[in-house]
Amino acid sequence: MNPTNEILKLRGKVQHYAWGGFDYIPALLQVDNPEHKPYAEYWMGAHPGAPSLVQRGADEVPLNTLIASDPATYLGQEVYDDFGELPYLFKVLDVREMLSIQVHPTREEAIKGFDAEEAAAIPINAADRNYKDRNHKPEVMVALGEFWLLHGFKTRDKLLKVLNEVEAFHFLIPDFGEGYYQLYKTVMELPQEQVDEILRPLVQQALANDDTLPGQPAYWIRKLYSTGQELTNIDRGIFSIYFFNIVQLQAGEAIFQGAGVPHAYLQGQNIELMANSDNVLRGGLTPKHIDVPELLKHTLFEGIEPNVLKGEVLSGGEVNYPCPVSDFAISKIDLLPELRHTATSNSAEIFIVTEGELRTVNVYHRFKKGDCFFVPPATSYELETTSGCTLFKAFVPA
Ligand SMILES: [Zn+2]
């Protein structure tokens, strides 16, 4: 219970990963970036490595500390019993350079993998450590503008068309005849020399073509090799750019990535919500460790038609993006001046304002673009705006 209907202002944590953009997150947070640092991610949550700070009077308390001090009040007994912590991490991402191709394990596989690596005494921060925890890592993202990503293998006909059209891939047609697994295994296990031989002409072609579109693999190859690096040790992730669906999302569209679905964020800004886990198996577009046998074990080898979620319209300007997991849920609220949004939280909720400003009615707060706030479970609140505003809400589904 939250008898005081307390709403708590949060301060998230910026992650300056090298792939991040320079302007979007600073503009959202309304801060200057005079050192021109990359602002890749803005984290909102209770991750022990970078907890958000909760404003309490003149003090700031880490959200994980606050929750641990009274889990029944700040998390709710049921969520505490099920997860023992805030089960989600909420983020804003600004993807300037492509991220690595990755696959996440199921929870059962993560437990097995983690326990095996512990038993083998592989240090938790070792470069070849796959499992950092015993949790799964489903993710949902909502685009904040035009967003591009790789998501799952193309369906059979589309992929066969690619193998036929790209001459350098003709030798793979018999492998694909045996299925997705054999095709992918072949390219992931090819000696690097052969990878270079096969991909070099494709990279050269892409670099020579300056009117490619983001729906085409050549566009991303150009982007990957735009700095004129030598065409040796070519990234075998390029095969995946051809084999996977290249998906375009418009602002307000979402996509869910469950266990096993290979994916990579290519470009744009989004709101991301995920389970608390760092379990990532990489498959290319990265200088980091690739454990091919482990990757092959956990990849979903089937063609998929990406399921782009437009959201279900609820009352009060709210659009919900249904996700098939119990760890988290996400909605977008477009608040109009004449429309008050009234609700009672069912779980620990985190909000971020992405446009405009609003105020809370019962206990007075003002929040503007870039602000975020934490609403404990069983809190009644009303939001209203004079300017119109957009906010995103993360919560735990009932
Ligand atoms: Zn991922």
Side-chain angles (χ1 to χ4, degrees), residues 21-32:
F22 302 108
D23 305 317
Y24 186 86
I25 290 176
L28 174 69
L29 302 178
Q30 303 184 46
V31 295
D32 292 328

Side-chain angles (χ1 to χ4, degrees), residues 363-385:
V363 182
Y364 185 78
H365 289 282
R366 288 185 76 93
F367 296 110
K368 61 179 187 336
K369 179 176 169 169
D371 286 342
C372 42
F373 54 97
F374 179 78
V375 179
T379 305
S380 296
Y381 57 89
E382 289 181 278
L383 311 176
E384 64 174 26
T385 179

Side-chain angles (χ1 to χ4, degrees), residues 344-363:
T344 300
S345 55
N346 283 318
S347 69
E349 301 180 344
I350 293 179
F351 289 79
I352 178 162
V353 183
T354 54
E355 288 295 338
E357 52 186 305
L358 73 140
R359 61 191 194 98
T360 55
V361 178
N362 35 1
V363 182

Side-chain angles (χ1 to χ4, degrees), residues 11-16 29 41-45 49-53:
R11 196 152 61 88
K13 168 93 169 90
V14 175
Q15 302 287 4
H16 297 282
L29 302 178
E41 302 191 353
Y42 186 63
W43 286 22
M44 299 161 283
S52 298
L53 299 175

Side-chain angles (χ1 to χ4, degrees), residues 102 104 137 139 257 263 265 272 280:
Q102 46 187 258
H104 306 300
K137 190 174 181 276
E139 302 164 335
Q257 324 211 79
H263 57 279
Y265 290 158
E272 185 183 58
V280 179

Side-chain angles (χ1 to χ4, degrees), residues 64-315:
N64 54 338
T65 306
L66 181 75
I67 288 173
S69 73
D70 186 354
T73 296
Y74 293 107
L75 202 53
Q77 195 60 47
E78 217 173 302
V79 172
Y80 182 63
D81 291 343
D82 287 352
F83 297 98
E85 61 177 356
L86 186 70
Y88 61 77
L89 181 58
F90 203 22
K91 296 178 178 181
V92 179
L93 263 68
D94 181 12
V95 180
R96 182 176 54 87
E97 287 175 1
M98 294 177 244
L99 302 193
S100 61
I101 293 165
Q102 46 187 258
V103 166
H104 306 300
T106 63
R107 187 183 275 125
E108 295 68 35
E109 290 161 348
I111 292 170
K112 258 196 255 168
F114 182 86
D115 290 348
E117 287 184 334
E118 285 291 287
I122 301 171
I124 195 85
N125 289 319
D128 61 348
R129 173 97 189 202
N130 290 312
Y131 299 94
K132 309 285 168 112
D133 51 70
R134 308 172 95 239
N135 204 4
H136 64 166
K137 190 174 181 276
E139 302 164 335
V140 63
M141 57 142 288
V142 186
L144 290 167
E146 186 183 279
F147 193 91
W148 292 89
L149 75 156
L150 300 176
H151 176 90
F153 282 97
K154 286 181 157 83
T155 54
R156 186 161 194 86
D157 290 354
K158 285 184 193 164
L159 184 42
L160 199 53
K161 191 162 173 269
V162 169
L163 299 182
N164 277 301
E165 279 176 2
V166 180
E167 211 186 323
F169 294 165
H170 283 180
F171 78 102
L172 292 166
I173 293 173
D175 286 307
F176 190 45
E178 290 177 42
Y180 286 89
Y181 176 85
Q182 191 54 47
L183 171 76
Y184 196 59
K185 182 175 189 300
T186 298
V187 301
M188 293 310 289
E189 290 180 348
L190 276 181
Q192 185 61 44
E193 251 170 60
Q194 236 173 306
V195 170
D196 288 354
E197 237 168 79
I198 296 162
L199 295 181
R200 191 176 296 114
L202 288 178
V203 176
Q204 284 166 337
Q205 256 172 44
L207 290 173
N209 183 356
D210 57 12
D211 60 357
T212 57
L213 297 168
Q216 303 167 326
Y219 179 93
W220 303 106
I221 297 172
R222 277 175 70 85
K223 186 166 168 166
L224 202 58
Y225 282 89
S226 60
T227 53
Q229 56 270 61
E230 262 186 69
L231 299 186
T232 54
N233 202 13
I234 297 178
D235 196 316
R236 68 184 71 219
I238 288 177
F239 285 108
S240 296
I241 301 179
Y242 284 90
F243 297 171
F244 296 169
N245 294 294
I246 300 177
V247 184
Q248 177 188 27
L249 299 180
Q250 303 295 346
E253 292 182 337
I255 196 160
F256 174 82
Q257 324 211 79
V261 176
H263 57 279
Y265 290 158
L266 297 175
Q267 188 170 284
Q269 293 87 33
N270 69 26
I271 294 274
E272 185 183 58
L273 181 61
M274 54 192 267
N276 265 335
S277 170
D278 296 312
N279 288 330
V280 179
L281 299 160
R282 291 187 178 78
L285 305 184
T286 178
K288 287 187 192 161
H289 170 70
I290 297 181
D291 182 336
V292 174
E294 203 58 30
L295 177 72
L296 294 176
K297 229 190 276 174
H298 302 297
T299 302
L300 202 59
F301 288 105
E302 60 184 38
I304 56 172
E305 206 55 82
N307 182 19
V308 175
L309 307 169
K310 308 267 183 195
E312 296 166 347
V313 179
L314 309 176
S315 61

